[in-house]
Amino acid sequence: MADTIEKHLGEKHKDVGAVVHALRILQHLADAPGPLGVAAVARATGISPSTCFSILRTMARARFVSFHETDKTYTLGLAVAELATGLIGTSYLDLIRPEIERLALNHNMLIALWRVTEDGHIVVIDRAYGEHVVRVDMRVGSRLPFLIGAVGRCVAAHLGLPPAELRRRFTTLRWQNPPSYEQYEAEVAEAGKRGWTKDVGHLYRGITTVASAVADQAGSPRFGISGIAIQGQQTPEQIDRLGEELRDVATYLSRALFAQRQPALIAAAS
């Protein structure tokens, strides 16, 4: 998870080392099944024992971690719960929106957030735009079958449908420039392996879409995030970079929004 934190903070700016270490320690304690000693935390996070001890002691004084005197171990503290109360009542949309805005500005394109519905569709629930670019648009409320397009391939990868059922559902999809089933099946498998995929001119002629999916703790797809652009506006390398970042963001959101809660930790820790 430490790598996810560092990617999320970004590589363009120099991060404060002590802050990054503290975040890694807090996240590791949040993922742990029970209290941990300094040596265990240091070993798991790659932080030197002396630095780890100093950070834990500092955070204990601020109540971000709790120190258990009897066995010299640490768990998350009440200050984490105090911070988390600010998120109570906050919708998933409010929490995700800063991420899609950042992606839109960094990649200078339309970024759409899709909700996977129980009736087998994906629906646009929010979108953000890049600056200074001729762009396509997807209105909020736009609705598509949940196996179509780039998002649909990612949804299919998470669902893991038997080949016969995937083929049957594929025959019901309507594309402007349909791919062959063999191509579609291969791209679903690719989405499952690398965590993102693309649709180049199949769903809509002249439009490239790159996508990844946010899944809950059971692996069920809950949201899709896609970058949508006029074909040829981005180089293949730019498309690949976007796909990789969409995957990283989707992984981050999956853990943050749908983390498996650990019984040994306070409820607000996850």
Side-chain angles (χ1 to χ4, degrees):
M1 185 60 188
D3 290 342
T4 302
I5 290 173
E6 289 169 358
K7 287 180 181 177
H8 184 61
L9 290 173
E11 300 176 351
K12 295 181 179 178
H13 308 286
K14 183 173 177 59
D15 300 319
V16 179
V19 176
V20 173
H21 288 338
L23 291 173
R24 294 175 73 178
I25 290 170
L26 287 173
Q27 187 60 61
H28 184 66
L29 290 176
D31 290 340
L36 296 174
V38 173
V41 175
R43 185 166 54 251
T45 59
I47 302 168
S48 71
S50 60
T51 299
C52 194
F53 176 79
S54 297
I55 292 173
L56 282 166
R57 281 299 188 184
T58 300
M59 290 196 294
R61 287 193 291 271
R63 294 190 174 87
F64 282 95
V65 300
S66 295
F67 177 62
H68 306 279
E69 185 71 41
T70 54
D71 55 3
K72 309 298 183 189
T73 59
Y74 294 85
T75 57
L76 292 183
L78 287 175
V80 176
E82 184 179 0
L83 286 179
T85 57
L87 293 179
I88 296 174
T90 303
S91 70
Y92 285 162
L93 181 57
D94 291 334
L95 295 172
I96 297 172
R97 182 163 182 77
E99 289 298 318
I100 68 171
E101 289 178 338
R102 180 182 61 81
L103 287 166
L105 291 174
N106 286 352
H107 294 274
N108 203 26
M109 64 192 302
L110 170 68
I111 302 293
L113 176 65
W114 305 76
R115 182 170 63 88
V116 182
T117 70
E118 293 181 358
D119 66 351
H121 290 83
I122 50 174
V123 180
V124 176
I125 58 173
D126 202 1
R127 70 241 199 271
Y129 305 104
E131 296 179 342
H132 312 302
V133 63
V134 176
R135 64 172 185 255
V136 295
D137 193 13
M138 292 289 292
R139 65 175 178 81
V140 171
S142 296
R143 179 181 172 94
L144 293 170
F146 74 163
L147 296 184
I148 204 166
V151 173
R153 291 170 174 85
C154 294
V155 169
H158 279 285
L159 292 177
L161 298 171
E165 178 63 12
L166 184 64
R167 181 184 288 272
R168 184 189 70 78
R169 296 195 184 196
F170 174 79
T171 62
T172 69
L173 303 176
R174 298 293 176 261
W175 316 68
Q176 285 191 354
N177 181 31
S180 68
Y181 173 73
E182 290 71 23
Q183 178 184 348
Y184 176 81
E185 183 182 40
E187 289 167 348
V188 168
E190 182 181 64
K193 289 178 181 178
R194 66 181 184 180
W196 68 275
T197 192
K198 59 189 174 185
D199 179 288
V200 182
H202 290 293
L203 180 55
Y204 299 113
R205 288 189 178 90
I207 301 298
T208 295
T209 306
V210 191
S212 188
V214 177
D216 61 22
Q217 63 266 34
S220 299
R222 300 287 295 274
F223 298 100
I225 307 176
S226 62
I228 306 170
I230 297 172
Q231 201 167 327
Q233 278 190 332
Q234 274 77 25
T235 66
E237 293 75 20
Q238 289 174 317
I239 292 296
D240 287 350
R241 282 197 298 271
L242 173 60
E244 290 166 1
E245 188 166 0
L246 287 174
R247 175 200 61 210
D248 293 343
V249 168
T251 301
Y252 178 82
L253 291 172
S254 295
R255 290 183 63 94
L257 299 179
F258 303 106
Q260 182 67 50
R261 285 165 169 73
Q262 301 288 349
L265 301 178
I266 57 176
S270 58

